[in-house]
Amino acid sequence: MAPPHAMMVALAMLVQICATVEVLSSGGVEAAGQGAAAHFGLDRRNLLANGLGLTPPMGWNTYNHFHWTISEKIIRETADAMVSSGLAALGYQYINLDDAWAERQRDSAGNLVANATTFPAGIKGLADYVHAKGLKLGIYSDAGNLTCSKLQPGSLGYEEQDAKTFASWEIDFLKYDNCHTDGTSPQVRYPIMSKALLKTGRPIFFSLCEWGVEDPATWGPGVGNSWRTTGDIADNWERMTERADKNDKWASYAGPGGWNDPDMLEVGNGGMTTEEYRSHFSIWALAKAPLILGCDIRSMDLDTHQILSNSEVIAVNQDKLGVQGKKVKKDGDLEVWAGPLSQKRVVVVLWNRGSSPAKVAANFSDIGVPPFALVDVRDLWAHTTEAKVKEQISADLDPHACKMYIIIQK
Ligand SMILES: *[C@@H]1O[C@H](CO)[C@@H](O)[C@H](O)[C@H]1NC(C)=O
Ligand SMILES: *[C@@H]1O[C@H](CO)[C@@H](O)[C@H](O)[C@H]1NC(C)=O
Ligand SMILES: *[C@@H]1O[C@H](CO)[C@@H](O)[C@H](O)[C@H]1NC(C)=O
């Protein structure tokens, strides 16, 4: 059952006010801090009032691995694996259906219905199964006449009816796509579903997926809990790094309650090397992106599990300050990404995007740490801590590899 709505909203606001104060007083990474503070001011007036997304959502979605061939069986087994692999205990809670879960036609009352062959227990039956595991169930629809697969109807013109259906199934998350529309602006179509979801009284995380076409970072915070800033990711280095760069531009608009979304994770799908996947996960975590897994977690290998279950990297993503880290320095293919965390800590990723080994270095002044500060440097992948007095941090990196650190001022 939903907690009292007003209380959730008040809590969201309180967390935001605390976050604002901390950003202003920490002097962290300057541009990110100031942008975020200004943005939080805006948010306190405009934030979607469902109390959700105080940290980026964590979970799994069918699309990156299964595309349009999905079933209740896959979802149940994935929910089982989420728990047995230990990932649920680390915070991955949403199990999300993407496109192609429904019958082609609505029923005689105009309701969406699950594909009777692939989802014989219906979506409510599936929700009961997923909830019994302590997890949440997400669903997918589209702000057009048809979804992208063209296999099922979209919700355009049926927003209230579909929101009610989702709430009656006890759905916890809606990803809302942008195919086969009537050509009107997403800024017209998405708020209709947002209001319809609020009206149900059930807290449903609202994930806007209009692919960044109308700069949703600028209007998304009042409408959804996250908004895609880019077109779709694919399981390769070029598409992954492009998503990271395009998303970076909007860093100052992210904050508790509303997040930039560079699309779901490809870690474990086989198209990138382990070091590339480690970079993918590190940058998504630093950028406060939704950590929505996209591999078949029922059969993931050890490297995949080790990347996805790094609790120190996850803690960066889930840090209560909620400020998106960003690219702070670039020298050809050698990059430094950084951002402030709570307790005056700073997270840094040193990243070699080139194709030969290289040393990547950052001065403390690049990353918002006072020169000659006495610090501990925590390596989040090696799980080691080094005391440092020098005003620089550096690493020798293989092609496409990164190092991720938290700088802790003593
Ligand atoms: C429902 O599932 C069956 C079995 O996979 C499939 O043949 C059919 O095309 C699906 N219907 C829709 C509308 O996707
Ligand atoms: C969408 O469907 C409605 C009726 O449900 C119809 O009037 C409209 O023309 C359709 N739009 C498109 C773009 O197909
Ligand atoms: C650090 O700062 C010093 C002095 O300003 C400069 O000479 C050096 O190139 C900088 N190093 C890096 C890695 O930016």
Coordinates of all heavy atoms in Angstrom, one line a residue, residues 245-336:
D245 N 28.7 10.9 -23.4 CA 29.1 12.3 -23.8 C 27.8 13.1 -23.9 O 27.7 14.2 -23.5 CB 29.9 12.3 -25.0 CG 31.3 11.8 -24.8 OD1 31.7 11.7 -23.7 OD2 32.0 11.5 -25.8
K246 N 26.8 12.6 -24.6 CA 25.6 13.3 -24.9 C 24.9 13.6 -23.5 O 24.3 14.7 -23.3 CB 24.6 12.6 -25.8 CG 25.1 12.6 -27.2 CD 24.0 12.0 -28.2 CE 24.5 12.2 -29.6 NZ 23.9 11.2 -30.5
N247 N 24.9 12.6 -22.7 CA 24.2 12.7 -21.4 C 24.9 13.8 -20.5 O 24.3 14.5 -19.7 CB 24.2 11.4 -20.7 CG 23.4 11.3 -19.4 OD1 22.2 11.5 -19.4 ND2 24.1 11.1 -18.3
D248 N 26.2 13.8 -20.6 CA 27.1 14.7 -19.8 C 26.7 16.2 -19.9 O 26.7 16.9 -18.9 CB 28.5 14.5 -20.2 CG 29.5 15.3 -19.3 OD1 29.3 15.2 -18.0 OD2 30.4 15.9 -19.8
K249 N 26.2 16.6 -21.0 CA 25.8 17.9 -21.3 C 24.7 18.4 -20.3 O 24.6 19.6 -20.0 CB 25.3 18.0 -22.7 CG 24.8 19.3 -23.2 CD 24.5 19.2 -24.7 CE 23.6 20.4 -25.1 NZ 23.0 20.2 -26.4
W250 N 23.9 17.5 -19.8 CA 22.8 17.9 -19.0 C 23.0 17.7 -17.5 O 22.1 17.7 -16.7 CB 21.5 17.1 -19.5 CG 21.3 17.3 -20.9 CD1 21.6 16.4 -21.9 CD2 20.7 18.4 -21.5 NE1 21.2 17.0 -23.1 CE2 20.7 18.2 -22.9 CE3 20.2 19.7 -21.0 CZ2 20.2 19.2 -23.8 CZ3 19.8 20.6 -21.9 CH2 19.7 20.4 -23.3
A251 N 24.3 17.5 -17.1 CA 24.6 17.1 -15.7 C 23.9 18.0 -14.7 O 23.4 17.5 -13.7 CB 26.1 17.1 -15.5
S252 N 23.9 19.3 -14.9 CA 23.4 20.2 -13.9 C 21.9 20.1 -13.6 O 21.4 20.6 -12.7 CB 23.8 21.6 -14.2 OG 23.1 22.1 -15.3
Y253 N 21.2 19.4 -14.5 CA 19.8 19.3 -14.3 C 19.3 18.1 -13.5 O 18.2 17.9 -13.2 CB 19.1 19.2 -15.7 CG 19.2 20.4 -16.5 CD1 20.3 20.7 -17.3 CD2 18.2 21.4 -16.5 CE1 20.4 21.8 -18.1 CE2 18.3 22.5 -17.2 CZ 19.4 22.8 -18.0 OH 19.5 23.9 -18.7
A254 N 20.3 17.2 -13.2 CA 19.9 16.0 -12.4 C 19.9 16.3 -10.9 O 20.6 17.2 -10.4 CB 20.9 14.9 -12.7
G255 N 19.1 15.6 -10.2 CA 19.0 15.7 -8.7 C 18.0 14.7 -8.2 O 17.3 14.1 -8.9
P256 N 18.0 14.7 -6.8 CA 17.0 13.8 -6.2 C 15.6 14.0 -6.7 O 15.1 15.1 -6.7 CB 17.2 14.1 -4.7 CG 18.6 14.6 -4.6 CD 18.8 15.3 -5.9
G257 N 15.0 12.9 -7.2 CA 13.6 13.0 -7.7 C 13.6 13.0 -9.2 O 12.5 12.6 -9.8
G258 N 14.7 13.4 -9.9 CA 14.7 13.4 -11.3 C 16.1 13.3 -11.9 O 17.0 14.1 -11.6
W259 N 16.3 12.3 -12.8 CA 17.6 11.9 -13.2 C 17.8 11.9 -14.7 O 16.8 11.5 -15.4 CB 18.0 10.5 -12.7 CG 17.8 10.5 -11.2 CD1 16.8 9.9 -10.5 CD2 18.7 11.0 -10.2 NE1 16.9 10.1 -9.2 CE2 18.1 10.7 -8.9 CE3 19.9 11.7 -10.2 CZ2 18.6 11.1 -7.7 CZ3 20.5 12.1 -9.0 CH2 19.8 11.8 -7.8
N260 N 18.9 12.3 -15.2 CA 19.3 12.1 -16.7 C 19.5 10.6 -16.9 O 20.0 9.9 -16.1 CB 20.6 12.8 -17.0 CG 20.4 14.3 -17.0 OD1 19.5 14.8 -17.6 ND2 21.3 15.0 -16.4
D261 N 19.0 10.1 -18.1 CA 19.1 8.7 -18.4 C 19.8 8.5 -19.7 O 19.2 8.7 -20.8 CB 17.6 8.1 -18.4 CG 17.6 6.7 -18.7 OD1 18.6 6.0 -18.9 OD2 16.5 6.1 -18.8
P262 N 21.0 8.0 -19.7 CA 21.7 7.7 -21.0 C 21.4 6.3 -21.5 O 22.2 5.9 -22.4 CB 23.2 7.9 -20.5 CG 23.2 7.5 -19.1 CD 21.9 7.8 -18.5
D263 N 20.4 5.7 -21.1 CA 19.9 4.4 -21.5 C 20.4 3.3 -20.6 O 21.4 3.5 -19.8 CB 20.1 4.1 -23.0 CG 19.0 3.1 -23.5 OD1 18.2 2.7 -22.7 OD2 19.1 2.8 -24.7
M264 N 19.9 2.1 -20.8 CA 20.2 1.0 -19.9 C 21.5 0.4 -20.1 O 22.1 0.6 -21.1 CB 19.0 0.0 -20.0 CG 17.7 0.6 -19.8 SD 16.3 -0.4 -20.1 CE 16.3 -0.7 -21.8
L265 N 21.9 -0.4 -19.1 CA 23.3 -1.0 -19.2 C 23.4 -2.2 -20.1 O 22.4 -2.9 -20.3 CB 23.7 -1.5 -17.8 CG 23.9 -0.3 -16.8 CD1 23.8 -0.8 -15.3 CD2 25.2 0.4 -17.0
E266 N 24.5 -2.3 -20.8 CA 24.8 -3.4 -21.7 C 25.8 -4.4 -21.0 O 26.1 -5.4 -21.6 CB 25.4 -2.9 -23.0 CG 24.4 -2.1 -23.9 CD 23.4 -3.0 -24.6 OE1 23.4 -4.2 -24.4 OE2 22.6 -2.5 -25.4
V267 N 26.2 -4.1 -19.8 CA 27.3 -5.0 -19.2 C 26.8 -6.4 -19.2 O 25.7 -6.7 -18.8 CB 27.5 -4.5 -17.7 CG1 28.5 -5.4 -17.0 CG2 27.9 -3.1 -17.7
G268 N 27.6 -7.3 -19.7 CA 27.3 -8.7 -19.7 C 26.7 -9.2 -21.0 O 26.4 -10.4 -21.1
N269 N 26.4 -8.4 -22.0 CA 25.8 -8.8 -23.2 C 26.8 -9.3 -24.3 O 26.3 -9.8 -25.3 CB 24.8 -7.8 -23.8 CG 23.5 -7.8 -23.1 OD1 23.0 -8.8 -22.6 ND2 22.8 -6.6 -23.0
G270 N 28.1 -9.1 -24.0 CA 29.1 -9.8 -24.9 C 29.7 -8.9 -26.0 O 30.7 -9.4 -26.6
G271 N 29.2 -7.7 -26.2 CA 29.8 -6.9 -27.3 C 31.0 -6.0 -26.9 O 31.5 -5.4 -27.7
M272 N 31.3 -6.0 -25.6 CA 32.4 -5.2 -25.2 C 33.3 -6.0 -24.3 O 32.9 -7.1 -23.8 CB 31.9 -3.9 -24.4 CG 31.3 -2.9 -25.2 SD 30.8 -1.4 -24.3 CE 29.0 -1.6 -24.3
T273 N 34.6 -5.5 -24.1 CA 35.5 -6.2 -23.2 C 35.2 -6.0 -21.8 O 34.4 -5.1 -21.5 CB 37.0 -5.8 -23.5 OG1 37.0 -4.4 -23.1 CG2 37.3 -5.9 -25.0
T274 N 35.8 -6.7 -20.9 CA 35.6 -6.5 -19.5 C 36.0 -5.1 -19.1 O 35.2 -4.5 -18.3 CB 36.4 -7.6 -18.7 OG1 35.9 -8.9 -19.0 CG2 36.2 -7.4 -17.2
E275 N 37.1 -4.6 -19.6 CA 37.5 -3.3 -19.2 C 36.5 -2.2 -19.7 O 36.3 -1.2 -19.1 CB 38.9 -3.0 -19.7 CG 40.0 -3.7 -18.9 CD 39.9 -3.5 -17.4 OE1 39.5 -2.4 -16.9 OE2 40.1 -4.5 -16.7
E276 N 36.0 -2.5 -20.9 CA 35.0 -1.5 -21.5 C 33.7 -1.5 -20.7 O 33.1 -0.5 -20.4 CB 34.7 -1.9 -23.0 CG 35.9 -1.6 -23.9 CD 35.8 -2.1 -25.3 OE1 34.9 -3.0 -25.5 OE2 36.5 -1.6 -26.1
Y277 N 33.3 -2.7 -20.2 CA 32.1 -2.8 -19.4 C 32.4 -2.2 -18.0 O 31.5 -1.5 -17.5 CB 31.7 -4.3 -19.2 CG 30.9 -4.9 -20.4 CD1 31.1 -6.2 -20.8 CD2 30.0 -4.1 -21.0 CE1 30.4 -6.7 -21.8 CE2 29.2 -4.7 -22.1 CZ 29.5 -6.0 -22.5 OH 28.8 -6.5 -23.5
R278 N 33.6 -2.3 -17.5 CA 33.9 -1.7 -16.2 C 33.8 -0.2 -16.4 O 33.3 0.5 -15.5 CB 35.3 -2.1 -15.8 CG 35.6 -1.8 -14.3 CD 37.1 -1.9 -13.9 NE 37.7 -3.2 -14.4 CZ 37.5 -4.4 -13.9 NH1 36.8 -4.5 -12.8 NH2 38.1 -5.4 -14.4
S279 N 34.3 0.4 -17.5 CA 34.2 1.8 -17.7 C 32.7 2.2 -17.9 O 32.3 3.3 -17.3 CB 35.0 2.2 -19.0 OG 36.3 1.9 -18.9
H280 N 32.0 1.5 -18.6 CA 30.5 1.7 -18.8 C 29.9 1.8 -17.4 O 29.2 2.8 -17.1 CB 30.0 0.5 -19.6 CG 28.5 0.5 -19.9 ND1 27.7 1.6 -19.9 CD2 27.7 -0.5 -20.3 CE1 26.5 1.3 -20.2 NE2 26.5 0.0 -20.5
F281 N 30.1 0.9 -16.6 CA 29.4 0.8 -15.3 C 29.9 2.0 -14.4 O 29.1 2.6 -13.7 CB 29.7 -0.5 -14.6 CG 28.8 -0.8 -13.4 CD1 27.4 -1.0 -13.6 CD2 29.3 -0.8 -12.1 CE1 26.5 -1.2 -12.5 CE2 28.5 -1.1 -11.0 CZ 27.1 -1.2 -11.2
S282 N 31.2 2.3 -14.4 CA 31.8 3.3 -13.6 C 31.2 4.7 -14.0 O 30.8 5.5 -13.1 CB 33.3 3.4 -13.8 OG 33.9 2.2 -13.4
I283 N 31.2 5.0 -15.3 CA 30.7 6.3 -15.7 C 29.2 6.4 -15.5 O 28.7 7.5 -15.1 CB 31.0 6.5 -17.2 CG1 32.5 6.7 -17.4 CG2 30.3 7.7 -17.8 CD1 33.1 7.9 -16.8
W284 N 28.4 5.4 -15.7 CA 27.0 5.4 -15.4 C 26.8 5.7 -13.9 O 25.9 6.5 -13.5 CB 26.3 4.1 -15.8 CG 25.6 4.2 -17.1 CD1 24.2 4.0 -17.3 CD2 26.1 4.5 -18.4 NE1 23.9 4.1 -18.7 CE2 25.0 4.4 -19.4 CE3 27.4 4.8 -18.9 CZ2 25.2 4.7 -20.7 CZ3 27.5 5.1 -20.3 CH2 26.5 5.0 -21.2
A285 N 27.6 5.0 -13.1 CA 27.4 5.2 -11.6 C 27.8 6.7 -11.2 O 27.0 7.4 -10.5 CB 28.3 4.3 -10.8
L286 N 28.9 7.2 -11.8 CA 29.3 8.6 -11.4 C 28.3 9.6 -12.0 O 28.1 10.6 -11.3 CB 30.7 8.8 -12.1 CG 31.2 10.2 -12.0 CD1 32.7 10.2 -11.7 CD2 31.0 11.0 -13.3
A287 N 27.7 9.3 -13.1 CA 26.7 10.2 -13.7 C 25.3 10.1 -13.1 O 24.4 10.7 -13.6 CB 26.7 10.0 -15.2
K288 N 25.2 9.3 -12.0 CA 23.9 9.2 -11.4 C 22.8 8.7 -12.4 O 21.7 9.1 -12.3 CB 23.5 10.5 -10.7 CG 24.4 11.1 -9.7 CD 24.5 10.2 -8.4 CE 25.4 10.8 -7.3 NZ 26.8 10.7 -7.5
A289 N 23.2 7.9 -13.3 CA 22.3 7.3 -14.3 C 21.5 6.2 -13.6 O 22.0 5.5 -12.7 CB 23.1 6.7 -15.5
P290 N 20.3 5.9 -14.1 CA 19.6 4.7 -13.6 C 20.5 3.5 -13.9 O 21.1 3.4 -14.9 CB 18.4 4.7 -14.5 CG 18.1 6.1 -14.8 CD 19.5 6.7 -15.0
L291 N 20.6 2.6 -12.9 CA 21.4 1.4 -13.1 C 20.4 0.3 -13.4 O 20.0 -0.5 -12.5 CB 22.2 1.1 -11.8 CG 23.3 2.1 -11.5 CD1 24.2 1.6 -10.3 CD2 24.3 2.4 -12.7
I292 N 20.0 0.3 -14.6 CA 19.0 -0.8 -15.1 C 19.8 -1.8 -15.9 O 20.2 -1.5 -17.0 CB 17.8 -0.1 -15.9 CG1 17.2 1.0 -15.1 CG2 16.8 -1.2 -16.3 CD1 16.4 0.6 -13.9
L293 N 19.9 -3.0 -15.4 CA 20.7 -4.0 -16.0 C 20.0 -4.5 -17.3 O 18.8 -4.5 -17.4 CB 20.9 -5.2 -15.0 CG 21.4 -4.8 -13.6 CD1 21.6 -6.1 -12.8 CD2 22.7 -4.1 -13.7
G294 N 20.9 -4.9 -18.2 CA 20.3 -5.3 -19.5 C 20.8 -6.7 -20.0 O 20.6 -7.0 -21.2
C295 N 21.5 -7.4 -19.2 CA 22.0 -8.8 -19.6 C 21.0 -9.8 -19.0 O 20.1 -9.6 -18.3 CB 23.4 -9.0 -19.2 SG 23.6 -9.1 -17.4
D296 N 21.3 -11.1 -19.4 CA 20.5 -12.2 -18.9 C 21.2 -12.6 -17.6 O 22.1 -13.4 -17.6 CB 20.6 -13.4 -19.9 CG 19.7 -14.5 -19.5 OD1 19.1 -14.5 -18.3 OD2 19.5 -15.4 -20.3
I297 N 20.6 -12.1 -16.5 CA 21.3 -12.3 -15.2 C 21.1 -13.7 -14.7 O 21.8 -14.2 -13.8 CB 20.8 -11.3 -14.1 CG1 19.3 -11.5 -13.8 CG2 21.1 -9.9 -14.5 CD1 18.9 -10.7 -12.6
R298 N 20.3 -14.5 -15.4 CA 20.2 -15.9 -15.0 C 21.4 -16.7 -15.4 O 21.7 -17.8 -14.8 CB 19.0 -16.6 -15.8 CG 17.6 -16.0 -15.5 CD 16.6 -16.5 -16.4 NE 17.0 -16.4 -17.9 CZ 16.3 -16.9 -18.9 NH1 15.2 -17.6 -18.7 NH2 16.7 -16.7 -20.1
S299 N 22.2 -16.2 -16.3 CA 23.4 -16.9 -16.8 C 24.6 -16.0 -16.9 O 25.5 -16.3 -17.7 CB 23.1 -17.6 -18.1 OG 22.7 -16.6 -19.1
M300 N 24.7 -15.0 -16.1 CA 25.8 -14.0 -16.2 C 27.1 -14.7 -15.8 O 27.1 -15.6 -14.9 CB 25.6 -12.7 -15.5 CG 25.5 -12.9 -14.0 SD 25.0 -11.3 -13.2 CE 24.0 -12.0 -11.8
D301 N 28.2 -14.3 -16.4 CA 29.5 -14.9 -16.0 C 30.1 -14.2 -14.8 O 29.5 -13.2 -14.3 CB 30.5 -14.9 -17.2 CG 30.8 -13.5 -17.7 OD1 30.6 -12.5 -16.9 OD2 31.3 -13.4 -18.8
L302 N 31.2 -14.7 -14.3 CA 31.8 -14.1 -13.0 C 32.2 -12.7 -13.2 O 32.0 -11.8 -12.3 CB 33.0 -15.0 -12.6 CG 33.5 -14.8 -11.2 CD1 32.4 -15.1 -10.2 CD2 34.7 -15.7 -11.0
D303 N 32.8 -12.3 -14.3 CA 33.2 -10.9 -14.6 C 32.0 -10.0 -14.5 O 32.1 -8.9 -13.9 CB 33.9 -10.8 -16.0 CG 35.3 -11.3 -16.0 OD1 35.9 -11.5 -14.9 OD2 35.9 -11.5 -17.1
T304 N 31.0 -10.4 -15.2 CA 29.7 -9.6 -15.2 C 29.2 -9.4 -13.7 O 28.9 -8.3 -13.3 CB 28.7 -10.2 -16.0 OG1 29.2 -10.4 -17.4 CG2 27.4 -9.4 -16.1
H305 N 29.2 -10.5 -13.0 CA 28.7 -10.4 -11.6 C 29.5 -9.5 -10.8 O 29.1 -8.7 -10.0 CB 28.6 -11.8 -11.0 CG 28.0 -11.8 -9.7 ND1 28.7 -11.8 -8.5 CD2 26.6 -11.8 -9.3 CE1 27.9 -11.8 -7.5 NE2 26.6 -11.8 -7.9
Q306 N 30.9 -9.6 -11.0 CA 31.8 -8.8 -10.2 C 31.6 -7.3 -10.5 O 31.7 -6.4 -9.6 CB 33.2 -9.2 -10.4 CG 33.6 -10.3 -9.5 CD 35.0 -10.9 -9.8 OE1 35.6 -10.5 -10.8 NE2 35.4 -11.8 -8.9
I307 N 31.4 -6.9 -11.8 CA 31.2 -5.5 -12.1 C 29.8 -5.0 -11.5 O 29.8 -4.0 -10.8 CB 31.2 -5.3 -13.6 CG1 32.6 -5.6 -14.2 CG2 30.7 -3.9 -14.0 CD1 32.7 -5.6 -15.7
L308 N 28.8 -5.8 -11.7 CA 27.5 -5.3 -11.3 C 27.3 -5.3 -9.8 O 26.4 -4.6 -9.3 CB 26.4 -6.2 -12.0 CG 26.4 -6.2 -13.5 CD1 25.3 -7.1 -14.0 CD2 26.2 -4.8 -14.1
S309 N 28.1 -6.1 -9.1 CA 27.9 -6.2 -7.7 C 28.9 -5.4 -6.9 O 29.1 -5.6 -5.6 CB 27.9 -7.7 -7.2 OG 29.2 -8.2 -7.5
N310 N 29.6 -4.5 -7.5 CA 30.6 -3.7 -6.8 C 29.9 -2.7 -5.9 O 29.4 -1.6 -6.4 CB 31.6 -3.0 -7.7 CG 32.7 -2.3 -7.0 OD1 32.5 -1.7 -5.9 ND2 33.9 -2.3 -7.5
S311 N 29.8 -3.0 -4.6 CA 29.0 -2.2 -3.7 C 29.6 -0.8 -3.5 O 28.8 0.2 -3.3 CB 28.8 -2.8 -2.4 OG 30.1 -3.0 -1.8
E312 N 30.9 -0.6 -3.7 CA 31.4 0.8 -3.6 C 31.1 1.7 -4.7 O 30.8 2.9 -4.6 CB 33.0 0.7 -3.4 CG 33.4 -0.1 -2.2 CD 34.9 0.1 -1.9 OE1 35.3 1.3 -1.6 OE2 35.7 -0.8 -2.1
V313 N 31.0 1.1 -5.9 CA 30.6 1.8 -7.1 C 29.1 2.1 -7.0 O 28.7 3.3 -7.3 CB 31.0 1.1 -8.4 CG1 30.5 1.8 -9.6 CG2 32.5 0.9 -8.5
I314 N 28.3 1.2 -6.6 CA 26.9 1.4 -6.4 C 26.6 2.5 -5.4 O 25.8 3.4 -5.6 CB 26.2 0.1 -6.0 CG1 26.2 -1.0 -7.1 CG2 24.8 0.3 -5.5 CD1 25.8 -2.4 -6.7
A315 N 27.4 2.5 -4.4 CA 27.3 3.6 -3.3 C 27.5 5.0 -3.9 O 26.9 5.9 -3.4 CB 28.2 3.3 -2.1
V316 N 28.4 5.1 -4.9 CA 28.6 6.4 -5.5 C 27.3 6.8 -6.2 O 26.8 7.9 -6.1 CB 29.7 6.3 -6.6 CG1 29.7 7.5 -7.5 CG2 31.1 6.2 -5.8
N317 N 26.7 5.9 -7.0 CA 25.5 6.1 -7.7 C 24.3 6.5 -6.8 O 23.5 7.4 -7.0 CB 25.1 4.9 -8.5 CG 23.8 5.1 -9.3 OD1 22.8 4.6 -9.0 ND2 23.9 5.8 -10.4
Q318 N 24.3 5.9 -5.6 CA 23.2 6.0 -4.7 C 23.5 7.1 -3.6 O 22.7 7.2 -2.6 CB 22.9 4.7 -4.0 CG 22.4 3.6 -5.0 CD 21.0 4.0 -5.6 OE1 20.1 4.1 -4.9 NE2 20.9 4.1 -6.9
D319 N 24.6 7.8 -3.7 CA 25.0 8.8 -2.7 C 23.9 9.8 -2.5 O 23.3 10.3 -3.5 CB 26.3 9.5 -3.1 CG 26.7 10.5 -2.1 OD1 27.2 10.0 -1.0 OD2 26.7 11.7 -2.3
K320 N 23.6 10.1 -1.3 CA 22.4 11.0 -1.0 C 22.5 12.4 -1.5 O 21.5 13.1 -1.7 CB 22.0 10.9 0.5 CG 23.0 11.6 1.4 CD 22.5 11.6 2.8 CE 23.5 12.1 3.9 NZ 24.3 13.3 3.5
L321 N 23.7 12.9 -1.7 CA 23.9 14.2 -2.3 C 23.2 14.3 -3.6 O 22.6 15.4 -4.0 CB 25.4 14.6 -2.3 CG 25.7 16.0 -2.8 CD1 25.1 17.0 -1.8 CD2 27.2 16.2 -2.8
G322 N 23.3 13.3 -4.4 CA 22.6 13.3 -5.7 C 23.1 14.2 -6.7 O 22.3 14.7 -7.5
V323 N 24.4 14.5 -6.8 CA 24.9 15.4 -7.8 C 25.6 14.6 -8.9 O 26.4 13.8 -8.6 CB 25.9 16.4 -7.2 CG1 26.6 17.3 -8.3 CG2 25.2 17.3 -6.2
Q324 N 25.2 14.8 -10.1 CA 25.7 14.1 -11.2 C 27.2 14.5 -11.5 O 27.5 15.7 -11.7 CB 24.9 14.3 -12.5 CG 25.4 13.6 -13.7 CD 24.5 13.7 -14.9 OE1 23.3 13.9 -14.8 NE2 25.0 13.6 -16.1
G325 N 28.1 13.6 -11.5 CA 29.5 13.9 -11.8 C 29.6 14.1 -13.3 O 28.7 13.7 -14.1
K326 N 30.7 14.8 -13.7 CA 30.8 15.1 -15.1 C 32.2 15.1 -15.6 O 33.2 15.0 -14.8 CB 30.1 16.5 -15.4 CG 30.7 17.6 -14.5 CD 29.8 18.8 -14.6 CE 29.9 19.5 -15.9 NZ 29.1 20.8 -16.0
K327 N 32.4 15.2 -16.9 CA 33.7 15.3 -17.5 C 34.3 16.6 -17.1 O 33.8 17.7 -17.4 CB 33.6 15.2 -19.0 CG 34.9 14.9 -19.7 CD 34.8 14.9 -21.2 CE 33.8 13.9 -21.7 NZ 33.9 13.6 -23.2
V328 N 35.5 16.6 -16.4 CA 36.1 17.9 -16.0 C 37.3 18.2 -16.7 O 37.8 19.3 -16.7 CB 36.3 17.9 -14.5 CG1 35.0 17.8 -13.7 CG2 37.3 16.8 -14.0
K329 N 37.9 17.2 -17.5 CA 39.1 17.5 -18.2 C 39.3 16.5 -19.3 O 38.9 15.3 -19.2 CB 40.3 17.3 -17.2 CG 41.6 17.9 -17.6 CD 42.7 17.6 -16.6 CE 44.0 17.6 -17.3 NZ 45.0 16.9 -16.4
K330 N 39.8 17.0 -20.4 CA 40.0 16.1 -21.6 C 41.2 16.5 -22.3 O 41.4 17.7 -22.6 CB 38.7 16.3 -22.5 CG 38.8 15.5 -23.8 CD 37.5 15.7 -24.5 CE 37.6 15.4 -26.0 NZ 38.0 14.0 -26.3
D331 N 42.1 15.5 -22.5 CA 43.3 15.8 -23.3 C 43.4 14.7 -24.3 O 43.9 13.6 -24.0 CB 44.5 15.7 -22.3 CG 45.8 15.9 -23.0 OD1 45.9 16.2 -24.2 OD2 46.9 15.6 -22.3
G332 N 42.9 15.0 -25.5 CA 42.7 13.9 -26.5 C 41.8 12.8 -26.0 O 40.7 13.1 -25.7
D333 N 42.3 11.6 -26.0 CA 41.5 10.5 -25.5 C 41.6 10.3 -24.0 O 41.0 9.3 -23.5 CB 41.9 9.2 -26.2 CG 41.6 9.2 -27.7 OD1 40.6 9.8 -28.1 OD2 42.4 8.6 -28.5
L334 N 42.3 11.1 -23.3 CA 42.5 10.9 -21.9 C 41.6 11.8 -21.1 O 41.6 13.1 -21.3 CB 44.0 11.2 -21.5 CG 45.0 10.4 -22.4 CD1 46.4 10.7 -22.0 CD2 44.7 8.9 -22.5
E335 N 40.7 11.2 -20.3 CA 39.7 12.0 -19.7 C 39.7 11.9 -18.2 O 40.0 10.8 -17.6 CB 38.3 11.7 -20.3 CG 38.2 11.9 -21.7 CD 36.8 11.7 -22.3 OE1 35.9 11.2 -21.6 OE2 36.6 12.0 -23.5
V336 N 39.2 12.9 -17.5 CA 38.9 12.9 -16.1 C 37.5 13.3 -15.9 O 37.0 14.3 -16.4 CB 39.9 13.9 -15.3 CG1 39.6 13.9 -13.8 CG2 41.3 13.6 -15.6

